Amino acid sequence: MTIELHDVRAQYRRLKPRIDARMHAVLEHGQFIMGPEVAELEAKLAAFVGVKHCIGVSDGTKALLVAMMALGIDPGDEVITTPFTFIATGEMIALLRAKPVFVDIDPRTYNLDPAKIEAAVTTRTRAIMPVSLYGQCADMDAINAVAARHGLAVIEDGGQSFGALYHGRRSCALSTIGTTSFFPTKALGCYGDGGACFTDDDALAERMRQIRVHGQSKRYYHPIIGINARLDTLQAAVLLAKVEVLAEDLAARERIGRRYGEKLAGAVRTPYIEPHNRSVYAQYTIEVDARTDVQARLKAEGVPTAVHYPLPLHLQPAFAGLGLGEGSFPKSEAAARRVMSLPMHPDLDEATQDRIVAAVRSAVAVRTAA
Ligand SMILES: Cc1ncc(COP(=O)(O)O)c(C=O)c1O
């Protein structure tokens, strides 16, 4: 049996009747753009996250853009973020002609190190954008405290952490604005692109709603500049079907994550989850020596792996203009050399997981013996 990194088809087989019914309802009513499912989903997700407003958007990248546009991030402004993330985080800052100011990570959690943020604040800093990587929230209370001292907004890039808990509160409810992605392999994923912004701030919510539809207040009236960042009705329908089993899926992910931790202990560095955090394990990411060899051995055993992420943002050619060379953020650079993600999805059964664990144990043992 083929092992997949994120088996989205297994989940579809499990949920087929309810997903098909939801999608067919959209095909029948024909309101493909901003149909009733979008508002229904927004109400459900706002309640789940525990905030006043959810604004469905076209993807997690646009969620970041819409959030920053609503906050009025202008060219020349600085936004503090982590270099150890998916490109979208830094990319959207740069797209607005603002400057990403990178701060290194805490190597235990791979999230922004709050103790290092204050030194990066300047008179141009407008916001802090932590990423809750691999499904575990960044230390939002500590980050919010720095932001409060300097009058900064905080955007949690929850592109990997939707459903995670931080001190009992949900990811995306922990700062000025929280954003997420519903990319198909996420803990809550649709069947194409999707995303959302969350906030308790009425005025920001109103701005984000306008920005996602060309800055429109009512049809063909545009008080502000926006973009097209609408969430498709069909994607909202898929998400509505999946929200019904989200709690079950999150519990399965956590159980599988913990089981990996127990079975791999001593062989590789397994994820460290802070006691106040509950991870959704968007990725199950371990650290290994000689990663390329280990990946090749696993591939030969039919176990797919991926690297999230091999090159920190400050070393990406796209950010060469920032002039930040090797050695600028040693913790991020070290993590980028060593991390490797294993198959993780709520339908991963114990027999398959045992096969993966055995393959990992023998791949790293061969390497050590060599
Ligand atoms: C942390 C993070 N932010 C933003 C995004 C962008 O989301 P999307 O692919 O939906 O645009 C991702 C996507 O994986 C992500 O992992």
Side-chain angles (χ1 to χ4, degrees), residues 40 60 64 70 87 91 126 220 224 226 263-264 288 294 310-311 369:
E40 186 185 345
L64 293 167
I87 186 75
E91 182 186 37
R126 291 290 316 281
Y220 303 135
I224 55 176
K263 305 250 162 197
L264 288 170
V288 292
V294 173
L311 196 61

Side-chain angles (χ1 to χ4, degrees), residues 59-61 64 85-86 88-89 131 157 159-160 181-183 186 193-194 309:
D59 53 74
T61 305
L64 293 167
T85 177
F86 179 62
T89 319
V131 177
D157 180 350
Q160 299 183 11
S181 161
F182 302 125
F183 189 83
K186 305 287 181 185
D193 280 307
Y309 296 91

Side-chain angles (χ1 to χ4, degrees), residues 96-141:
L96 287 171
R97 299 278 173 250
K99 182 181 172 189
V101 174
F102 297 122
V103 165
D104 213 352
I105 54 167
D106 175 344
R108 293 173 317 150
T109 61
Y110 308 105
N111 284 329
L112 204 51
D113 184 345
K116 296 196 172 125
I117 295 175
E118 200 123 35
V121 174
T122 74
T123 51
R124 302 197 142 202
T125 310
R126 291 290 316 281
I128 308 173
M129 195 188 280
V131 177
S132 296
L133 205 71
Y134 303 151
Q136 166 169 225
C137 287
D139 191 354
M140 298 301 291
D141 286 348

Side-chain angles (χ1 to χ4, degrees), residues 152-164:
L152 308 173
V154 178
I155 303 167
E156 181 198 7
D157 180 350
Q160 299 183 11
S161 59
F162 189 78

